[in-house]
């Protein structure tokens, strides 16, 4: 009996053990199934987050391209911004106050469309212009808990990206929030450098039966693009943060000349090129031709020019002064175009000089233009590019005189030895390797390096030169860079102000001529056409190709004073101040490096398209 009882106990114990094992196996299977299910849910949420990250990048990186899902300003919460102002994590970030610590893009509307430029590219170190928030205080926030508008936008975004896959078998995908803040900072040549332009965070969710079953956070950088390096103001081929002196004999072609201060024009009015007249722009970024709002007036002037095959010395040139123009009448537009259709052109209404006793019009020259920005304050941005380790971007520290040494090593060499026949982005730092500063308040930074002058002989550079010197000059140099140069597209009415030539908008047909220094002529029968566009009169997006030998092809950024000398430059010059050299006979020849059909077809340089494109 005892043996039977013992056997029964053993059997029961074994049965219990087997039952427990079976239950454990079932539980493990259920856990594995739940884990697999959760992983699938998280994978779906992660995939949605990645799609939203890609879309947010396009908001910033595809300026003017395609139909994008950019939200309205009202969707964002702009109040959370905590500003990282010096790249030092030990320094506390500062909450925006709408004043000295501004919100991102606060009051910035450079294209005069009535909306803040939230997604417009930036080049400035200004706290208003750049992304400078932190993970705990982003510059831009879209949170469905913030407002009904934010929730509606995020739902719409998911619907567009996923379509019918937004909800499957009771599993609903959604976005909780999108945050955008400043870039990460890392040690680099010459000090901390920003890694890219900003940071994006997307929090996505999976909801089943009203309960959040999975939540995934994805973070990615907003990379630095050529299109993201642009102006707080007009994209001028020659720009001065102070005054600008235009010496007689200099040829500045195909774009905008701008100065935040005063502009001193040559004494002889023949040196001020005329072209198609303009009206006072709403902002510095907007360029409006005379007749833009009246097709009949535009057509009347065009037909008058056609009837006489009139030359236009430079249809794309305009001059903007934030201050005054030397010897100009009062008023922001001192020489308005006053021609009336049907009347013969008279003094002040010709598109060219050379008519005995009569002046050409100068309705392309303005003074007192508000909000002319200055690009020379982008020290940290360019230093970050040069010190980020790209093969084609290089950082140089000052040694003495005009000699520098590269951060990665090598011999001490002169500026000319380093830059002649070089390409890429070359950053030449201040004397002490710190942000330019003006301790004595005289308007000139005290830590700039001594003057740099390249005189005589052959010289050629392609790319972006950033130079922190008191004075910079190229003089009596022969360019060794062979550059194919094209004039901008033919001027057109742009009645809707969208910057593009639309069907039905009249244009001025031009005979561009054979010389980039010459004057195109109005010609209704000129049959030059864009390559591959057919034949017969049609609006050209760019002129024919010419070849010039340039000393610089690209962008020259001088924090101090740029002195005009005898040289050919294709691209842009940006400086703290621009002076002419009275001892130079022929002077500077500067051509805007225009992409086909820049804004309004009027020659806005579109770059820097010759630099940063291939940074590796």
């Amino acid at each position: 009996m005892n043996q039977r009882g013992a056997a029964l106990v053993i059997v029961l114990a074994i049965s219990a053990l087997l039952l427990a094992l079976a239950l454990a196996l079932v539980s493990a299977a259920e856990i594995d199934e739940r884990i697999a299910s959760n992983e699938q849910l998280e994978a779906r949420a992660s995939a949605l987050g990645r799609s939203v990250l890609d879309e947010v990048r396009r908001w910033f990186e595809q300026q003017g391209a395609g139909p994008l899902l950019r939200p309205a300003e009202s969707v964002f919460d702009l109040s959370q911004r905590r500003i990282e102002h010096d790249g030092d994590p030990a320094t506390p970030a500062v909450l925006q106050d709408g004043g000295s610590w501004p919100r991102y893009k606060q009051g910035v509307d450079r294209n005069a469309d009535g909306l803040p430029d939230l997604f417009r590219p930036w080049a400035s170190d200004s706290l208003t212009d750049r992304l400078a928030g932190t993970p705990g205080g982003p510059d831009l926030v879209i949170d469905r808990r913030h407002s009904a508008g934010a929730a509606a936008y995020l739902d719409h975004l998911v619907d567009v990206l996923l379509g019918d896959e937004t909800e499957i078998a009771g599993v609903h995908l959604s976005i909780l929030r999108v945050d955008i803040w400043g870039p990460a900072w890392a040690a680099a040549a010459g000090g901390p450098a920003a890694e890219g332009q900003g940071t994006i965070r997307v929090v996505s969710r999976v909801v089943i039966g009203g309960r959040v079953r999975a939540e995934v956070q994805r973070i990615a950088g907003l990379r630095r693009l050529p299109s993201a390096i642009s102006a707080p103001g007009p994209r001028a081929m020659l720009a001065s943060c102070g005054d600008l002196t235009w010496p007689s004999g200099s040829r500045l072609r195909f774009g905008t000349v701008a100065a935040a201060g005063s502009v001193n024009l040559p004494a002889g009015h023949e040196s001020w090129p005329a072209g198609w007249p303009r009206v006072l722009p709403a902002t510095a970024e907007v360029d409006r031709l005379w007749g833009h709002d009246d097709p009949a007036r535009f057509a009347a002037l065009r037909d008058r020019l056609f009837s006489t095959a009139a030359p236009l010395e430079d249809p794309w040139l305009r001059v903007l002064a934030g201050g005054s123009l030397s010897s100009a009448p009062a008023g922001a537009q001192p020489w308005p175009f006053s021609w009336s259709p049907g009347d013969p052109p008279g003094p002040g209404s010709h598109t060219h000089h050379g008519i005995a006793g009569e002046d050409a019009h100068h309705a392309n020259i303005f003074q007192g233009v508000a909000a002319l920005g200055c690009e020379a304050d982008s020290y940290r941005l360019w230093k970050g590019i040069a010190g980020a380790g790209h093969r084609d971007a290089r950082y140089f520290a000052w040694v003495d005189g005009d000699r520098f040494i590269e951060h990665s090593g090598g011999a001490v060499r002169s500026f000319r030895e380093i830059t002649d026949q070089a390409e890429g982005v070359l950053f030449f730092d201040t004397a002490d390797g710190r942000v330019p500063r003006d301790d004595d308040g005289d308007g000139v930074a005290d830590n700039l390096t001594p003057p740099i002058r390249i005189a005589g002989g052959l010289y050629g550079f392609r790319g972006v030169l950033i130079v922190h010197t008191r004075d910079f000059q190229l003089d009596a140099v022969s360019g060794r860079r062979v550059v194919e140069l094209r004039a901008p597209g033919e001027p057109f009415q742009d009645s809707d102000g969208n910057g593009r030539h639309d069907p039905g908008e009249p244009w001025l047909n031009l005979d561009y001529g054979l010389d980039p220094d010459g004057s195109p002529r109005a010609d209704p029968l000129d049959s030059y056409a864009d390559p591959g566009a057919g034949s017969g009169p049609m609006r050209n997006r760019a002129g024919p190709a010419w070849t010039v030998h340039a000393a610089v092809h690209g962008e020259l950024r001088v924090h101090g004073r740029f002195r005009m000398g005898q040289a050919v430059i294709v691209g842009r010059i940006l400086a703290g101040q621009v002076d002419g050299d009275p001892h130079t006979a022929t002077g500077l020849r500067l051509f805007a490096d225009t992409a086909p059909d820049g804004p309004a077809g009027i020659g806005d340089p579109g770059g820097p398209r010759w630099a940063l494109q291939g940074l590796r």
Side-chain angles (χ1 to χ4, degrees):
M1 192 70 177
N2 290 337
Q3 290 179 346
R4 291 178 180 177
L8 179 59
V9 171
I10 293 172
V11 169
L12 291 174
I14 292 173
S15 298
L17 180 61
L18 292 173
L19 177 61
L21 181 60
L23 291 174
L25 291 173
V26 170
S27 178
E30 290 178 349
I31 291 172
D32 288 343
E33 183 178 352
R34 290 176 183 172
I35 291 173
S37 176
N38 287 340
E39 289 178 346
Q40 291 176 357
L41 295 176
E42 289 178 358
R44 293 182 63 184
S46 180
L48 172 60
R50 183 171 60 250
S51 297
V52 175
L53 280 175
D54 291 341
E55 176 61 29
V56 174
R57 279 199 183 103
R58 284 192 287 270
W59 297 349
F60 294 91
E61 296 173 0
Q62 295 184 15
Q63 294 297 316
L68 300 176
L69 299 172
R70 292 192 182 106
E73 181 196 7
S74 59
V75 169
F76 288 100
D77 179 1
L78 303 175
S79 66
Q80 297 188 33
R81 186 189 207 202
R82 290 187 174 274
I83 300 170
E84 171 53 71
H85 52 92
D86 60 2
D88 184 357
T91 305
V94 181
L95 179 65
Q96 66 80 24
D97 58 11
S100 56
W101 299 102
R103 296 186 302 276
Y104 174 63
K105 295 292 186 182
Q106 180 177 321
V108 178
D109 178 21
R110 297 193 177 95
N111 60 347
D113 62 357
L115 301 171
D117 299 341
L118 296 181
F119 311 112
R120 297 289 299 277
W122 55 90
S124 170
D125 283 343
S126 162
L127 294 177
T128 303
D129 257 329
R130 64 185 172 95
L131 292 170
T134 62
D139 300 272
L140 296 164
V141 177
I142 307 177
D143 190 328
R144 66 171 48 255
R145 299 162 298 188
H146 172 66
S147 68
Y153 170 78
L154 292 174
D155 289 341
H156 172 68
L157 179 61
V158 174
D159 287 342
V160 172
L161 294 176
L162 298 186
D164 294 338
E165 297 182 4
T166 302
E167 183 167 349
I168 300 176
V171 179
H172 181 78
L173 296 174
S174 68
I175 297 297
L176 175 64
R177 62 184 288 156
V178 176
D179 300 326
I180 305 168
W181 67 86
W185 290 75
E195 296 183 325
Q197 292 282 23
T199 309
I200 307 165
R201 174 173 59 202
V202 176
V203 181
S204 52
R205 282 179 163 182
V206 176
V207 179
I208 301 175
R211 295 178 57 193
V212 177
R213 290 287 304 276
E215 187 171 285
V216 175
Q217 177 176 281
R218 291 190 69 102
I219 297 177
L222 182 62
R223 67 181 183 272
R224 196 183 306 277
L225 297 178
S227 63
I229 300 172
S230 72
R235 197 149 179 79
M237 63 175 173
L238 177 62
S240 171
C241 292
D243 295 340
L244 183 150
T245 297
W246 181 339
S248 178
S250 294
R251 298 284 288 171
L252 313 177
R253 302 300 308 271
F254 307 150
T256 297
V257 176
S262 297
V263 172
N264 301 308
L265 294 168
H269 64 84
E270 295 85 357
S271 298
W272 314 349
W276 191 282
R278 285 165 167 76
V279 297
L280 184 66
T283 75
E285 282 195 349
V286 176
D287 190 358
R288 291 288 178 264
L289 304 185
W290 186 88
H292 73 94
D293 55 350
D294 188 333
R297 287 161 63 86
F298 187 97
L301 179 57
R302 178 195 60 187
D303 294 344
R304 168 68 68 176
L305 298 178
F306 282 161
S307 68
T308 59
L312 293 89
E313 291 169 340
D314 190 337
W316 308 280
L317 176 73
R318 63 177 180 151
V319 180
L320 306 176
S324 62
L325 294 167
S326 56
S327 304
Q333 188 183 20
W335 297 288
F337 190 64
S338 57
W339 176 75
S340 297
D343 294 340
S349 61
H350 297 285
T351 57
H352 63 101
H353 293 84
I355 300 174
E358 296 188 0
D359 190 10
H361 82 81
H362 299 297
N364 53 355
I365 302 177
F366 303 87
Q367 63 185 357
V369 179
L372 274 178
C374 175
E375 290 185 77
D377 60 352
S378 49
Y379 175 87
R380 290 187 180 92
L381 184 148
W382 287 103
K383 190 170 184 175
I385 292 174
H390 298 295
R391 191 179 73 191
D392 298 328
R394 300 159 64 189
Y395 168 88
F396 295 87
W398 178 69
V399 177
D400 55 43
D402 69 346
R403 300 195 310 155
F404 296 81
I405 187 168
E406 191 164 3
H407 176 74
S408 59
V412 175
R413 293 181 292 163
S414 71
F415 180 88
R416 182 168 190 159
E417 291 170 331
I418 294 169
T419 58
D420 187 22
Q421 304 189 67
E423 295 188 358
V425 176
L426 275 59
F427 182 94
F428 293 83
D429 211 343
T430 56
D432 58 4
R434 299 170 61 191
V435 174
R437 64 186 190 280
D438 181 13
D439 295 332
D440 56 13
D442 64 352
V444 179
D446 299 318
N447 58 336
L448 300 180
T449 64
I452 295 174
R453 185 170 186 263
I454 297 175
L458 284 172
Y459 178 83
F461 172 81
R462 181 177 185 270
V464 181
L465 276 175
I466 306 100
V467 190
H468 295 87
T469 178
R470 291 197 295 271
D471 280 85
F472 183 92
Q473 185 180 42
L474 292 166
D475 191 26
V477 296
S478 299
R480 64 164 86 241
R481 285 280 174 186
V482 179
V483 179
E484 184 180 275
L485 174 69
R486 301 185 72 184
E490 291 167 326
F492 62 95
Q493 186 193 9
D494 194 23
S495 57
D496 57 4
N498 67 355
R500 297 188 300 272
H501 180 253
D502 299 317
E505 287 183 333
W507 79 94
L508 178 66
N509 205 45
L510 293 176
D511 175 355
Y512 281 90
L514 303 176
D515 182 358
D517 287 311
S519 299
R521 287 181 174 271
D523 185 351
L525 301 178
D526 183 78
S527 59
Y528 171 76
D530 293 329
S535 60
M538 64 182 66
R539 183 182 177 272
N540 302 124
R541 297 177 61 245
W546 298 303
T547 298
V548 297
H549 289 76
V552 174
H553 179 205
E555 187 160 297
L556 175 59
R557 308 177 71 96
V558 180
H559 193 91
R561 183 192 311 268
F562 174 79
R563 294 188 182 274
M564 291 192 194
Q566 184 179 345
V568 175
I569 295 177
V570 178
R572 308 177 67 210
I573 301 171
L574 303 100
Q577 186 167 330
V578 177
D579 276 350
D581 188 340
H583 304 296
T584 300
T586 56
L588 175 72
R589 293 172 68 207
L590 172 63
F591 301 94
D593 187 17
T594 56
D597 234 4
I602 49 177
D604 242 13
R609 61 189 176 95
W610 10 254
L612 301 185
Q613 302 269 13
L615 283 186
R616 293 175 286 272

